[in-house]
Amino acid sequence: APVGLAQLGWLDPAKNGFWTSVASIGVPLGTFIFSRLSKWPVKRLLAAEFVLFAAGFTVMGTAAAPPQFLIGCFINQLGAGMLLPTLLVWAISLLPFAVRSRGAGIWTGAMSVGQFLSPLVVTFTAKQVGGLLPAFTILAAGAVIGLIVALLGNFQRGDERANGTVAAHA
């Protein structure tokens, strides 16, 4: 985000860091929203989260000014705050109780690898498409693909499969 803000004319690192952290409030707010929507079927949660990602990346990639870019960052972070607990709860629910703690550890490790790879992928994409802002529009397209997969896939928590409650939520 600070690099995107700099490309849009905000060159003060302290200002960029501050406003990036303000936009990052979307993550804890997203986790709070998840806590209120956690009974939704996984498919619906994933769809909502990928819509937020697509919208956030689109706003970031097409921003003409830093405030618009920061709004996109906030929307994106809101989706991330919802997605992380959705994926963790979903993954753990599919595991037998005896191995859930090991599964949580593996999931956390995989997420950490993803956090390491994320800036590398964004930087590589930015170099291929001519800048960071156009790279965000590519990421928006990736989020739309994620949305399509969420809508077409058969994503259920373990309890939904066992109880057949997906139909009641749909």
Side-chain angles (χ1 to χ4, degrees):
V3 174
L5 291 170
Q7 287 183 358
L8 290 169
W10 280 7
L11 302 175
D12 180 3
K15 181 179 181 180
N16 291 353
F18 172 77
W19 286 109
T20 298
S21 68
V22 169
S24 294
I25 288 294
V27 173
L29 183 56
T31 59
F32 175 76
I33 292 169
F34 169 82
S35 75
R36 301 297 180 230
L37 304 178
S38 63
K39 297 295 183 196
W40 281 14
V42 173
K43 183 176 198 161
R44 186 181 302 164
L45 285 166
L46 290 172
E49 293 151 2
F50 279 109
V51 163
L52 288 170
F53 278 134
F57 281 134
T58 298
V59 171
M60 291 165 69
T62 59
Q68 181 185 2
F69 182 84
L70 288 167
I71 290 168
C73 288
F74 175 79
I75 294 167
N76 187 278
Q77 294 298 293
L78 194 64
M82 292 175 64
L83 182 66
L84 292 173
T86 297
L87 293 177
L88 179 60
V89 169
W90 172 43
I92 299 305
S93 77
L94 299 173
L95 298 174
F97 184 78
V99 296
R100 286 186 176 179
S101 62
R102 187 176 320 144
I106 292 169
W107 186 92
T108 302
M111 186 187 82
S112 296
V113 170
Q115 287 181 317
F116 168 76
L117 293 175
S118 176
L120 300 175
V121 170
V122 172
T123 301
F124 175 79
T125 303
K127 287 184 185 239
Q128 300 305 309
V129 298
L132 183 63
L133 297 180
F136 286 129
T137 59
I138 299 297
L139 293 173
V144 170
I145 292 169
L147 172 62
I148 292 167
V149 169
L151 293 173
L152 297 177
N154 185 20
F155 300 101
Q156 300 172 352
R157 283 188 295 268
D159 59 336
E160 292 171 335
R161 288 182 181 182
N163 298 329
T165 58
V166 171
H169 290 298

